[in-house]
Amino acid sequence: PDEVGRLMLAIDDYQGSLVVRCALLMSALTFQRPGNVRSMEWDEIEGDGWHIPKEKTKTREPIIVPLSKQAVKVLEEIAPLTGRGRYVFPSARGGSRQLSDGAVRTALRSMGYDRSQMTAHGFRAMARTLLDEVLNQRVEWIEMQLGHRVADVHGRAYNRTQFIVNRVAMMQRWADYLDELGQEAKCSSVITEGK
């Protein structure tokens, strides 16, 4: 958790482009696959939900990603810059293309994180671990949020549960927890600098 707090603080302090900083934040807040975050389209946002179509998912099943208040705030921050285009996070080379696959990786390196410490895909492992071990969320909710198939003794033919209500609460709890960790890291750095 301490390392995650420092990561969130580093993202807040990131001096690169707004598009990349917002993509980093959305990666942390939603922990979706990096390709899905980079290819997020404005048309996929409906209210407080991100509806990833089956054509973009590994399981070929659509995913509903509940958006926390913090994730909605990220979208509101970037909307004046990219809201008229197709992609939420367009390429610096032109709005008709999505953010490059190296943008988040390069940002993480510029913030001092090497490959062994954090990757674009690492936001998924970070969330999976902390939601289970620290926040005690049900594994089924976490796995559904990750876009994984949830095993069921009766199979998918009978169980079409999406756990939406539970995942909405879980995603808000996750975002609030990231905020708390970032604040703790900020307080620690102020105390350290004051010595």
Side-chain angles (χ1 to χ4, degrees), residues 25-26 28-31 47-50 65-76 145 167-179:
L25 284 170
M26 194 61 72
L29 291 166
T30 66
F31 49 92
D48 293 345
W50 171 20
V65 182
L67 298 172
S68 63
K69 292 173 189 164
Q70 292 89 332
V72 170
K73 187 176 174 185
V74 171
L75 294 174
E76 289 170 350
Q145 188 60 42
R167 289 192 297 123
V168 165
M170 179 182 76
M171 295 305 284
Q172 189 56 57
R173 188 166 182 206
W174 172 246
D176 292 341
Y177 180 61
L178 290 179
D179 282 351

Side-chain angles (χ1 to χ4, degrees), residues 98-163:
Q98 67 189 28
L99 190 65
S100 74
D101 61 353
V104 169
R105 179 180 60 243
T106 301
L108 288 167
R109 298 303 165 265
S110 74
M111 293 186 297
Y113 290 91
D114 66 32
R115 190 167 191 258
S116 69
Q117 295 170 303
M118 191 59 178
T119 64
H121 203 80
F123 288 104
R124 292 171 61 76
M126 176 181 89
R128 173 64 177 85
T129 303
L130 293 176
L131 281 164
D132 186 7
E133 291 186 356
V134 178
L135 298 180
N136 301 309
Q137 299 298 291
R138 280 184 49 187
V139 170
E140 295 92 341
W141 305 346
I142 302 166
E143 290 297 315
M144 182 70 66
Q145 188 60 42
L146 287 164
H148 294 162
R149 291 186 183 205
V150 179
D152 184 270
V153 293
H154 301 294
R156 295 290 296 168
Y158 295 106
N159 185 359
R160 301 208 176 120
T161 305
Q162 293 283 312
F163 306 111

Side-chain angles (χ1 to χ4, degrees), residues 40-88:
M40 179 189 261
E41 297 181 36
W42 286 108
D43 288 348
E44 296 168 357
I45 308 300
E46 296 177 25
D48 293 345
W50 171 20
H51 297 258
I52 305 174
K54 65 181 182 179
E55 297 79 25
K56 289 185 171 182
T57 67
K58 194 172 183 178
T59 61
R60 294 295 176 221
E61 294 176 14
I63 300 172
I64 299 171
V65 182
L67 298 172
S68 63
K69 292 173 189 164
Q70 292 89 332
V72 170
K73 187 176 174 185
V74 171
L75 294 174
E76 289 170 350
E77 182 179 3
I78 199 166
L81 182 64
T82 70
R84 290 197 175 107
R86 175 180 176 185
Y87 295 108
V88 175

